[in-house]
Amino acid sequence: MDIAMDTANEFAKSALGLVWQQLVDLFEYSSNIKDLEERVENIKNERIVIQSRVTAAERNGERIFTHVIKWLDDSKSLLEEAEKFLNEEIKADTHVWHLGSRYKLSAKAKQKILVVEQLLGTCKTFNVISENVPPPPIELASDETRSAFGSRKEILAKIVDNLKDDRVPMIGIYGLAGVGKTTFVKQIGERLQSERLFDHIMIFTVSQTPDILKIQDRIAEVIGAKTFDEKTTEGRASRLHAILNQMLKHGKKILVIVDDIWETLNLRENIGIPVGCKFMLTSRQEGVCQQMGSQHNYMLRGLNDGESWSLFENIVGHNAVKHPHRHQIAVKTVKACGGLPLALNVIASLLRNNNNIYCWQDAVAKLRWNDLAQNLTESLKLSYEFLEKESAAQELLLLCSLFPEDYEIHINDLLTWGLGLGLFRDVASLDASFVRVHARVEYLKSSSLLLDVEGKNCVKMHDVVREFTLKVAREQHKTFVGTGEELISWKESDTVNYISLHGDNMNVFNDKLEYPNLKLLYLRGTLSRNLSSSILGTVFGMMKMITVLSFFKVTLNQLPPSFEHLKHLRTLTLVSCILGDIRIIGELRSLRILNLSRSTLSELPIEFEKLHNLLFLDLTGCLNLAIVPSRVLHGMRQLEGLHMSRDLVYGGIYKLGDASLEHLRFCSQLVTLEVHIVDIKHWPKGVVFSKLRRFKISVGSEFHFSEPYACSSKLILLKDLTRSSLEHGLNGLLKIAEEIIIENVNGFQNDLYHNLDRAHVCNLKYLSIARFEEIQYVVDTTEIDPCVVFPLLKILKINDLDNFYEICHGKPLEGSFGKLEELRVSNLPKLMNVWKSPIEYALLPMLRVLNIEQCHRLKNIFTLSKSGDLSQLRHLEVCSCEAIEEIIDSEDGSRMLEFVFHELHSLLLLSLPKLKTFMPIGRPSPTIADVGTHIKGSLFDGKVAFPNLKDMHLKNLDSVGQIWTNSFRVGVTLPLLDKLEVEGLPNLMHVWSIDSPESIPLSSLTRLTIENCPINEVVLAQEEDTAGSIEFLRLEYLRLDHLRNLKSFYAGQGNCALFNEKVSFPALEHLYVDGMEGLREIWQIPQPVGSFPQLRRLSVWNCHNLLNIGPFLQLPSLELLSVIRCNNLEEIFGDPVGELEHANVAMPALKDIVLCGNPVLKSFCHYKIDFEWPCLRLVKLTGCPKMKTFTYGNLTTPMLQELRLASVLSRDQRTMWNGDLNSTVRVLYSENNNNHDHNTGSKRNYNDGITMDENNKDRGGGANDDCDVGSNYDDNSNNADDEERNDDHHDKKRRRIR
């Protein structure tokens, strides 16, 4: 009874509480509605503020934090719901005494208030909304030029050494035009970039007429600086200098490559690059390099005969030179080119695919012996004359010379100029002209006369090609290219056809001069001066025959009245201009092309409605454009091209005034359209663009892209929409789209294919989908009739789908996804299978790139029944997938004889804690050696092969105990392996287990890194007593990092030396050993003769049981010796052996010695050996308080002038010198002892680091500890050990504290 009463009481209280709350909501109806309205206004204001901050940050190239973007999206949705609630539901509530309705509305308002309050509270935490995005590594060299010619490797090595030398601030490279200087410095830059020797590498071209503003913009882009507020070169230079100088003070290393410099240029005053950066110059004259201050200059000579022949043969084709007569001519042609790569490229491109023997004979007849410059000109002339039958190609090439040197020339500029000049005489439409110009540009690129700009719709000209072409343009077309000052003194105004004027001085046109034959005028300014009517005056009245007028970065507050005389003008481009009154353009009735992109104008004048013959209107990036009168579009009945979108990277909105997209129905001839639409409802209903060939249409919210989407001319971007909204008119374009990027479209269920409709995806080449809640598959074939799906798709990207299970569910017909080349998926928490492929169903025969990240339910990547499915795969990366147990699964349990990845070049398996094996087929029984290692699993067995694999990276694989079984003959199955990185395998006992030396991959491996693994030996000999010798023939780089159990590299037999007489490295240049607790010596005697003949850098860190590196060896190539934080190290080299005992030992290449934090180190060598170090220039000594003398023998160090020291606990530094190194060290030892006697514990002692700071003894040498002493001595110097540590990406801040 009591329980029942208690229950009744509780129920009554609950009921009363509920009723009371309902009454409160009812009585607070008005206040709740008012509160909601106020909070809606508050969040509107906050959203405006945050959106403006986002816009400003994006313009500065910064990355917006994801939670900020999500807040903007959530607040937008909430505002739409709240305004709909207030404007529809509340206003519709006219029944004052309808208590039930009022209660519901009040409660609903109260709920929305809580959500608004939560959003308002969240935005208060947005102190920082973005972060600087470090620019991607600049593309220094193309794929075709990445390998240096053999004859240039020696000079390349010397230059790299100079760049590493802190005493060499500048080097110069000079040589003939066309010898390949630009390509060569790009190769050097790429090598330095890969070795991480510099924090920033920037390259810019100076040329004969330097574009300082462009150079400054390029530097700002590379260092990630914000956009310039300063407009003048001087102001920008001052700001750049401050930024770069601050970077240098923080220890950043900066390399500046100044390409094609013609005369002395003050890099500090003119550009803003401070002293302290490293400089590499290229010029045609050594004297220019010397005048710039370079004391180390290298002449780049032509290729040798063999390299010249290989280059020529690769271009024309091997079969072309097999013919006896053509072979003889080819030999003469190659000889006459004198090793100039440009000449060889041009002449070979001319003869490629031309088997006519007379053409070959005519080509070689025009080349002259012993006149390389003339032959280069002749080869260009031959190629140019060969273009005669393609006259449009010749004209386009000449137009390219009107742009500044090293300029990225947009193909659309060539199109619009060509149309204006009437180059495409036999075509009438914009579409046909577009096809023609692209075909001609491709023809010029294949002729090596134009260079492609990767990832952009642009081309460039080699400076030598531009010089030649400009000479032809001046002679044949009376062309002027130069500055305003030069035009003033020019005397041929009456005959000139083309004028290209660059610079600020535009006040150069004399109204007394006439330009009766002028067809094209190109003015390129800097926005610093206004070209007013008074400056231009009546000049356009003297240019009545002009057909192309192009202004770039020019301020025009008002176009002059003389503009109306341009009756023949067909192309007018005002790009990135500040525009005022431009109404007079409406009088240009012959105008075909009008480009106002990125210019400032608020509205299109109504007078533009008279431009009835206009074919193309470009308003891209006109951010202030607010009004487009409907009559304007109505009057442009012939319009074939309309661009109204902002840069797609940022999205954008156009306020079209009284015009709307409905008025596009008047533009029935449109073939190209670019536009961003906020609301799909604005898309014109019933308008069919039957002639549209190219389009870029984005619909919905702004896009925040991390990459450009420009590989297709038929692109649609959809974001934050509903499925029903897509029925408003895009269906027709979706059917012909080649690229679709679609994100967060509500209402899509099950699979994307079904929602988009079969007709919408049949032409797709690129598909990216992200942020769907209900999409489970890309295609579900169980819901459709049997058909081939996505037959043309090349790239598929799938990201952030919470309920996505599988790409293809069901059984697609053969041919589905048949052309897929790249597949990238990430953050799909429910993905169970990437691909199922029974033999009778769809395969992926063209797949080249496969990237899987953060798919935590995946247990394998593919289930396959035959190896042909992945025959073209070149790159495979699987990263951060917690459940992955195998990469390839044989679903039927069959045993295949062998699975071969024929084309795989790179394999990355990263952070896969449950991965046990690559493919569980044909696994042999474990051997006795296998059992002895307590393996958890073998990653590879003898049934899988990678004949072309070059790069393998294995990281954080917790369940792998053995990389390959004994039956896996690495030398056979991985014959081309060049780079192997093994990191964080907690159960790995060894990298290789071999029964004979022949079973290890020694023929091709050049880089080996092993880090944070418990291995006992790198190479385990199954029978150590009979183990034979092994030789790593090509290994150049070896890094052994924090292998605490490692005692021997190979066949150690209980010794504690890393290397013994059974292993040798004849090509090793870099050896880094760090955190090896078990080591007592690096090597022991006897070593094979010539064990380390090429070793240039030896660095030993944190080996606390190391007594010495080992007995002294002959190291003829050693340049850097660095030993840091080895607590028990007493000497660097131990007992001398044999002929070295009591010898006079030379280390002819040694330049730098760094000894840091070795508390018991007493000397370099305890034995009385005389050392000759003729190149030694730097010795750094810190934290070695027991060192009484450097050596006990005599030292010969003619270049050494100082001993560098650094205090441990402060950033103070000093140098000492007492005539020779031994005497200096003795003085230092005595001084430190005196300091301790007088002031025990002083922090000013320079060589007592470990004694003074016991807490530091287990620390690794990092950027901020006492071992980083390079910047302590000279702001412009580079620590030799800094160079060593930056040589590999593993040396980062994690070294600061172990």
Side-chain angles (χ1 to χ4, degrees):
M1 178 67 72
D2 291 339
I3 295 174
M5 288 296 295
D6 290 343
T7 302
N9 288 333
E10 290 296 326
F11 177 77
K13 290 179 181 178
S14 176
L16 287 172
L18 181 62
V19 170
W20 177 254
Q21 184 60 52
Q22 291 175 346
L23 289 172
V24 170
D25 289 343
L26 179 62
F27 289 120
E28 291 181 349
Y29 170 84
S30 297
S31 62
N32 284 342
I33 299 303
K34 185 177 180 180
D35 285 350
L36 178 60
E37 290 174 340
E38 291 177 353
R39 283 164 174 77
V40 165
E41 284 302 313
N42 290 340
I43 203 167
K44 277 184 181 180
N45 295 332
E46 290 292 344
R47 198 171 188 279
I48 291 172
V49 171
I50 293 174
Q51 184 63 62
S52 64
R53 291 172 63 191
V54 166
T55 302
E58 287 178 331
R59 287 178 178 171
N60 287 329
E62 297 175 2
R63 180 192 293 122
I64 309 301
F65 292 133
T66 304
H67 64 274
V68 177
I69 297 174
K70 185 177 185 301
W71 188 91
L72 287 172
D73 293 340
D74 292 346
S75 61
K76 177 185 177 183
S77 300
L78 178 64
L79 281 174
E80 291 174 351
E81 293 175 7
E83 289 181 338
K84 182 178 180 181
F85 172 72
L86 293 170
N87 294 332
E88 297 180 11
E89 296 183 46
I90 297 299
K91 289 183 178 179
D93 180 39
T94 57
H95 305 287
V96 177
W97 301 108
H98 198 308
L99 301 183
S101 172
R102 290 231 153 180
Y103 156 70
K104 290 180 180 179
L105 293 175
S106 179
K108 197 171 183 180
K110 196 171 183 179
Q111 290 176 351
K112 292 188 181 298
I113 290 171
L114 293 176
V115 178
V116 174
E117 286 290 346
Q118 183 178 2
L119 283 174
L120 286 171
T122 301
C123 75
K124 299 299 183 185
T125 66
F126 293 167
N127 296 323
V128 180
I129 65 165
S130 61
E131 61 183 346
N132 286 328
V133 182
I138 55 177
E139 184 67 22
L140 290 164
S142 64
D143 292 335
E144 293 78 7
T145 62
R146 285 208 165 106
S147 298
F149 292 106
S151 64
R152 296 181 172 181
K153 287 187 176 180
E154 182 178 353
I155 186 175
L156 187 148
K158 290 180 179 179
I159 291 171
V160 170
D161 286 342
N162 279 151
L163 291 172
K164 295 174 182 177
D165 190 338
D166 56 357
R167 298 171 302 170
V168 180
M170 180 182 293
I171 69 163
I173 299 169
Y174 65 96
L176 288 173
V179 78
K181 298 184 292 296
T182 300
T183 299
F184 185 64
V185 295
K186 286 182 177 181
Q187 290 168 346
I188 295 173
E190 186 176 68
R191 172 171 169 174
L192 296 171
Q193 188 168 268
S194 67
E195 294 183 359
R196 299 175 184 263
L197 293 179
F198 291 90
D199 298 287
H200 296 282
I201 299 177
M202 57 191 74
I203 180 171
F204 56 82
T205 301
V206 176
S207 75
Q208 284 181 283
T209 55
D211 187 340
I212 302 299
L213 289 175
K214 178 183 175 183
I215 292 171
Q216 292 169 331
D217 286 338
R218 179 61 175 152
I219 294 173
E221 176 188 354
V222 172
I223 63 177
K226 297 180 179 180
T227 53
F228 287 106
D229 295 325
E230 298 83 358
K231 301 302 181 183
T232 65
T233 57
E234 294 81 4
R236 291 182 170 200
S238 178
R239 183 178 171 197
L240 269 182
H241 184 273
I243 295 172
L244 293 171
N245 209 36
Q246 192 67 20
M247 294 169 66
L248 292 170
K249 288 181 178 179
H250 284 84
K252 298 294 185 182
K253 298 176 182 178
I254 302 171
L255 173 64
V256 182
I257 303 175
V258 187
D259 189 30
D260 193 25
I261 188 165
W262 285 70
E263 59 185 10
T264 304
L265 177 67
N266 191 319
L267 298 173
R268 160 63 184 90
E269 294 183 2
N270 296 113
I271 298 176
I273 306 175
V275 175
C277 296
K278 186 84 73 170
F279 295 92
M280 181 162 54
L281 318 175
T282 76
S283 179
R284 298 185 188 181
Q285 302 293 328
E286 182 182 14
V288 175
C289 298
Q290 293 171 340
Q291 292 168 12
M292 288 291 295
S294 174
Q295 298 180 1
H296 296 76
N297 301 310
Y298 297 88
M299 180 178 183
L300 192 63
R301 302 182 186 277
L303 308 180
N304 62 34
D305 291 345
E307 293 164 344
S308 298
W309 177 260
S310 296
L311 178 59
F312 182 85
E313 185 181 31
N314 287 338
I315 297 173
V316 300
H318 178 67
N319 292 332
V321 295
K322 286 174 62 177
H323 187 279
H325 295 306
R326 284 198 298 270
H327 182 82
Q328 293 178 1
I329 298 172
V331 171
K332 293 180 180 179
T333 303
V334 170
K335 189 73 174 177
C337 288
L340 296 180
L342 179 60
L344 289 162
N345 267 291
V346 170
I347 199 72
S349 299
L350 170 65
L351 299 176
R352 180 176 50 200
N353 301 323
N354 187 343
N355 293 327
N356 189 303
I357 192 68
Y358 299 110
C359 291
W360 283 56
Q361 289 174 342
D362 182 59
V364 74
K366 295 182 179 181
L367 299 178
R368 302 178 184 179
W369 301 106
N370 301 320
D371 192 345
L372 297 183
Q374 182 60 33
N375 283 345
L376 179 57
T377 301
E378 285 297 332
S379 64
L380 292 170
K381 185 177 179 182
L382 281 168
S383 291
Y384 178 78
E385 291 174 348
F386 192 74
L387 299 175
E388 188 170 356
K389 61 182 180 182
E390 302 285 353
S391 59
Q394 275 193 353
E395 295 285 350
L396 289 173
L397 187 65
L398 295 177
L399 290 181
C400 289
S401 68
L402 303 183
F403 292 91
E405 186 175 337
D406 199 48
Y407 189 77
E408 293 181 356
I409 305 164
H410 204 287
I411 297 178
N412 278 354
D413 289 335
L414 299 179
L415 170 64
T416 56
W417 285 13
L419 276 169
L421 293 170
L423 300 187
F424 317 119
R425 300 177 183 87
D426 56 339
V427 295
S429 68
L430 180 68
D431 186 50
S433 300
F434 178 91
V435 173
R436 177 68 58 85
V437 74
H438 277 79
R440 295 300 177 264
V441 166
E442 289 300 318
Y443 180 64
L444 291 168
K445 288 194 292 187
S446 68
S447 301
S448 297
L449 295 172
L450 289 180
L451 305 173
D452 191 33
V453 178
E454 188 175 355
K456 298 181 180 180
N457 193 30
C458 299
V459 292
K460 294 173 73 172
M461 294 188 86
H462 191 287
D463 57 335
V464 178
V465 178
R466 181 176 180 270
E467 286 177 25
F468 167 79
T469 308
L470 194 53
K471 180 180 178 182
V472 174
R474 285 168 175 156
E475 292 175 353
Q476 297 184 5
H477 292 271
K478 301 299 181 183
T479 298
F480 172 85
V481 176
T483 64
E485 292 80 2
E486 294 168 338
L487 184 61
I488 292 174
S489 58
W490 205 51
K491 306 298 183 182
E492 301 181 37
S493 63
D494 56 336
T495 59
V496 66
N497 291 322
Y498 300 158
I499 292 179
S500 177
L501 195 62
H502 308 154
D504 293 328
N505 186 5
M506 298 293 184
N507 189 16
V508 296
F509 293 104
N510 189 335
D511 57 9
K512 296 180 180 179
L513 297 178
E514 293 192 12
Y515 302 87
N517 296 304
L518 188 65
K519 297 178 181 178
L520 181 149
L521 175 61
Y522 176 35
L523 302 183
R524 183 178 181 83
T526 61
L527 296 177
S528 60
R529 296 188 61 185
N530 174 31
L531 277 185
S532 62
S533 297
S534 60
I535 292 178
L536 292 177
T538 60
V539 68
F540 292 115
M542 310 300 173
M543 302 176 179
K544 295 181 180 179
M545 300 305 296
I546 195 170
T547 61
V548 176
L549 181 60
S550 182
F551 287 1
F552 178 78
K553 286 192 175 180
V554 173
T555 300
L556 291 163
N557 290 337
Q558 183 175 12
L559 293 176
S562 61
F563 223 69
E564 65 181 0
H565 295 294
L566 305 179
K567 301 298 183 182
H568 299 282
L569 191 66
R570 292 195 287 264
T571 293
L572 175 61
T573 65
L574 305 173
V575 177
S576 298
C577 294
I578 298 176
L579 302 178
D581 186 355
I582 57 173
R583 289 176 296 173
I584 198 170
I585 293 176
E587 303 300 324
L588 305 177
R589 306 301 173 82
S590 297
L591 202 61
R592 298 287 189 273
I593 307 294
L594 178 57
N595 183 354
L596 303 175
S597 60
R598 299 188 299 281
S599 291
T600 59
L601 70 159
S602 58
E603 64 178 287
L604 285 188
I606 192 67
E607 287 79 3
F608 281 19
E609 67 174 331
K610 294 181 283 186
L611 300 176
H612 301 306
N613 294 311
L614 199 67
L615 297 178
F616 179 66
L617 174 62
D618 192 347
L619 303 174
T620 302
C622 296
L623 305 184
N624 298 320
L625 183 62
I627 300 175
V628 180
S630 60
R631 288 165 53 186
V632 170
L633 293 179
H634 189 275
M636 297 178 179
R637 296 299 183 93
Q638 301 301 316
L639 201 65
E640 295 185 28
L642 176 62
H643 291 182
M644 299 183 68
S645 66
R646 281 181 56 188
D647 189 337
L648 289 180
V649 173
Y650 299 107
I653 302 172
Y654 273 93
K655 302 173 183 177
L656 299 179
D658 65 330
S660 72
L661 292 174
E662 289 289 343
H663 291 95
L664 291 179
R665 67 177 65 254
F666 302 127
C667 307
S668 59
Q669 303 299 316
L670 278 180
V671 295
T672 175
L673 174 65
E674 292 187 13
V675 64
H676 174 83
I677 309 164
V678 178
D679 192 337
I680 189 65
K681 294 179 181 179
H682 295 160
W683 186 256
K685 297 180 181 179
V687 178
V688 178
F689 298 102
S690 58
K691 296 184 179 182
L692 210 56
R693 299 291 181 268
R694 287 169 298 281
F695 51 84
K696 291 183 180 178
I697 300 171
S698 60
V699 184
S701 300
E702 292 185 346
F703 279 79
H704 301 272
F705 292 145
S706 59
E707 59 179 295
Y709 294 86
C711 49
S712 171
S713 59
K714 298 178 179 179
L715 169 64
I716 292 180
L717 309 102
L718 308 171
K719 181 180 178 183
D720 298 335
L721 305 171
T722 62
R723 182 187 176 188
S724 60
S725 66
L726 295 181
E727 300 174 1
H728 283 275
L730 277 180
N731 279 324
L733 294 181
L734 284 169
K735 291 179 181 179
I736 62 174
E738 295 179 354
E739 291 192 19
I740 293 180
I741 298 141
I742 184 167
E743 181 175 339
N744 190 29
V745 177
N746 294 325
F748 275 34
Q749 296 182 350
N750 192 40
D751 73 323
L752 188 73
Y753 185 88
H754 180 263
N755 285 274
L756 284 179
D757 190 85
R758 174 180 177 179
H760 292 163
V761 299
C762 60
N763 293 303
L764 275 185
K765 296 179 181 178
Y766 180 106
L767 174 62
S768 175
I769 58 177
R771 295 178 59 224
F772 284 87
E773 293 184 0
E774 302 299 330
I775 289 294
Q776 300 179 32
Y777 317 105
V778 174
V779 58
D780 182 358
T781 60
T782 64
E783 298 292 327
I784 60 176
D785 295 331
C787 63
V788 176
V789 297
F790 297 102
L792 303 179
L793 191 67
K794 292 185 176 181
I795 300 175
L796 174 60
K797 298 183 179 181
I798 311 170
N799 305 299
D800 304 319
L801 306 183
D802 291 341
N803 293 295
F804 190 84
Y805 289 96
E806 193 175 0
I807 293 174
C808 185
H809 181 63
K811 303 173 181 178
L813 294 183
E814 186 173 358
S816 298
F817 297 93
K819 294 190 176 182
L820 190 67
E821 296 179 1
E822 183 176 328
L823 173 60
R824 297 181 182 272
V825 302
S826 69
N827 196 20
L828 308 178
K830 293 185 179 180
L831 182 69
M832 299 289 289
N833 294 290
V834 177
W835 201 265
K836 287 184 178 180
S837 179
I839 191 168
E840 68 269 27
Y841 301 119
L843 309 177
L844 297 175
M846 302 299 292
L847 190 66
R848 299 188 179 202
V849 176
L850 175 60
N851 189 303
I852 312 291
E853 295 185 27
Q854 294 182 324
C855 299
H856 297 308
R857 294 189 67 183
L858 271 181
K859 292 188 176 182
N860 55 64
I861 305 302
F862 280 115
T863 55
L864 299 172
S865 296
K866 67 175 187 176
S867 60
D869 286 21
L870 300 175
S871 60
Q872 298 299 315
L873 192 65
R874 297 174 64 88
H875 175 85
L876 173 60
E877 179 175 355
V878 187
C879 176
S880 300
C881 298
E882 294 178 354
I884 287 280
E885 296 181 0
E886 56 211 11
I887 303 302
I888 307 295
D889 176 38
S890 178
E891 71 279 5
D892 57 3
S894 62
R895 291 292 181 263
M896 300 167 60
L897 294 177
E898 187 179 56
F899 195 101
V900 181
F901 288 83
H902 291 282
E903 298 298 327
L904 194 67
H905 282 62
S906 61
L907 173 63
L908 290 83
L909 304 176
L910 313 174
S911 300
L912 308 174
K914 294 186 179 180
L915 180 67
K916 298 177 181 178
T917 181
F918 191 85
M919 185 170 62
I921 54 176
R923 184 183 299 124
S925 300
T927 65
I928 295 176
D930 294 336
V931 173
T933 60
H934 306 288
I935 63 170
K936 297 188 70 173
S938 295
L939 191 57
F940 303 106
D941 68 6
K943 302 302 181 183
V944 61
F946 307 92
N948 286 295
L949 190 69
K950 296 179 180 179
D951 185 358
M952 180 185 291
H953 190 180
L954 310 175
K955 180 179 181 180
N956 296 340
L957 308 180
D958 296 351
S959 299
V960 172
Q962 186 168 295
I963 297 177
W964 21 65
T965 61
N966 299 332
S967 60
F968 188 87
R969 298 294 179 181
V970 185
V972 176
T973 50
L974 289 167
L976 300 181
L977 187 63
D978 177 73
K979 180 181 178 181
L980 175 62
E981 295 184 50
V982 180
E983 179 182 354
L985 274 63
N987 292 290
L988 188 69
M989 295 294 105
H990 53 262
V991 178
W992 291 280
S993 174
I994 64 171
D995 52 13
S996 66
E998 291 78 18
S999 60
I1000 195 168
L1002 309 182
S1003 60
S1004 60
L1005 195 66
T1006 65
R1007 293 178 67 91
L1008 174 61
T1009 297
I1010 310 172
E1011 183 173 356
N1012 286 319
C1013 298
I1015 62 174
N1016 296 313
E1017 291 183 312
V1018 176
V1019 183
L1020 173 66
Q1022 295 181 24
E1023 301 293 338
E1024 288 198 354
D1025 293 336
T1026 59
S1029 298
I1030 60 175
E1031 189 175 33
F1032 286 79
L1033 290 171
R1034 296 188 59 196
L1035 193 67
E1036 298 176 357
Y1037 177 99
L1038 175 60
R1039 181 179 198 88
L1040 305 173
D1041 195 342
H1042 276 72
L1043 310 176
R1044 299 186 182 276
N1045 298 329
L1046 183 66
K1047 293 182 174 62
S1048 178
F1049 193 89
Y1050 169 62
Q1053 296 181 319
N1055 295 317
C1056 291
L1058 183 59
F1059 304 116
N1060 54 36
E1061 74 281 1
K1062 292 186 177 182
V1063 60
S1064 61
F1065 305 90
L1068 191 66
E1069 296 183 5
H1070 308 270
L1071 173 59
Y1072 303 136
V1073 180
D1074 188 356
M1076 312 284 275
E1077 300 287 352
L1079 281 186
R1080 296 177 69 86
E1081 291 182 308
I1082 303 296
W1083 54 64
Q1084 61 181 198
I1085 294 294
Q1087 279 284 312
V1089 176
S1091 294
F1092 301 96
Q1094 303 298 323
L1095 188 64
R1096 296 174 52 233
R1097 292 184 169 203
L1098 173 59
S1099 180
V1100 183
W1101 286 65
N1102 300 304
C1103 296
H1104 297 312
N1105 289 310
L1106 193 70
L1107 299 179
N1108 55 56
I1109 289 176
F1112 188 81
L1113 290 180
Q1114 292 283 11
L1115 300 172
S1117 302
L1118 189 66
E1119 298 177 4
L1120 170 66
L1121 174 61
S1122 176
V1123 183
I1124 296 174
R1125 293 197 176 279
C1126 297
N1127 287 352
N1128 290 303
L1129 186 79
E1130 296 183 356
E1131 58 183 345
I1132 303 300
F1133 289 108
D1135 300 350
V1137 176
E1139 63 182 17
L1140 296 180
E1141 198 167 358
H1142 308 295
N1144 187 349
V1145 177
M1147 300 178 74
L1150 188 62
K1151 297 178 181 178
D1152 302 286
I1153 298 176
V1154 178
L1155 305 176
C1156 172
N1158 305 305
V1160 299
L1161 180 65
K1162 297 177 180 178
S1163 68
F1164 190 83
C1165 180
H1166 291 349
Y1167 288 81
K1168 192 173 182 179
I1169 298 177
D1170 296 339
F1171 290 98
E1172 292 185 7
W1173 295 331
C1175 294
L1176 188 66
R1177 60 186 182 175
L1178 174 66
V1179 176
K1180 293 185 180 180
L1181 189 62
T1182 301
C1184 302
K1186 303 297 185 183
M1187 181 172 272
K1188 297 181 180 180
T1189 185
F1190 205 82
T1191 69
Y1192 289 95
N1194 296 321
L1195 276 176
T1196 303
T1197 58
M1199 296 184 65
L1200 189 64
Q1201 300 296 324
E1202 63 183 16
L1203 173 65
R1204 291 194 182 186
L1205 310 169
S1207 174
V1208 177
L1209 300 180
S1210 74
R1211 301 307 294 173
D1212 295 339
Q1213 67 283 319
R1214 63 167 177 162
T1215 63
M1216 287 184 66
W1217 195 243
N1218 193 42
D1220 62 72
L1221 183 57
N1222 279 331
S1223 298
T1224 306
V1225 172
R1226 293 183 192 119
V1227 170
L1228 176 65
Y1229 178 78
S1230 176
E1231 180 182 293
N1232 285 337
N1233 282 339
N1234 291 335
N1235 284 339
H1236 274 291
D1237 292 340
H1238 294 292
N1239 187 15
T1240 303
S1242 171
K1243 296 182 180 181
R1244 297 289 297 172
N1245 292 347
Y1246 283 83
N1247 203 27
D1248 198 15
I1250 304 303
T1251 304
M1252 290 184 291
D1253 186 7
E1254 288 295 327
N1255 293 327
N1256 283 338
K1257 65 182 180 181
D1258 291 328
R1259 287 172 51 196
N1264 294 324
D1265 67 12
D1266 56 317
C1267 299
D1268 181 23
V1269 297
S1271 61
N1272 294 340
Y1273 299 97
D1274 183 353
D1275 286 342
N1276 301 331
S1277 69
N1278 296 324
N1279 187 351
D1281 199 62
D1282 288 342
E1283 297 172 4
E1284 169 264 314
R1285 280 179 283 149
N1286 283 319
D1287 192 66
D1288 186 83
H1289 69 279
H1290 296 297
D1291 289 304
K1292 297 180 180 176
K1293 291 183 179 179
R1294 62 176 179 76
R1295 288 195 177 282
R1296 301 170 87 175
I1297 298 179
R1298 292 290 186 193

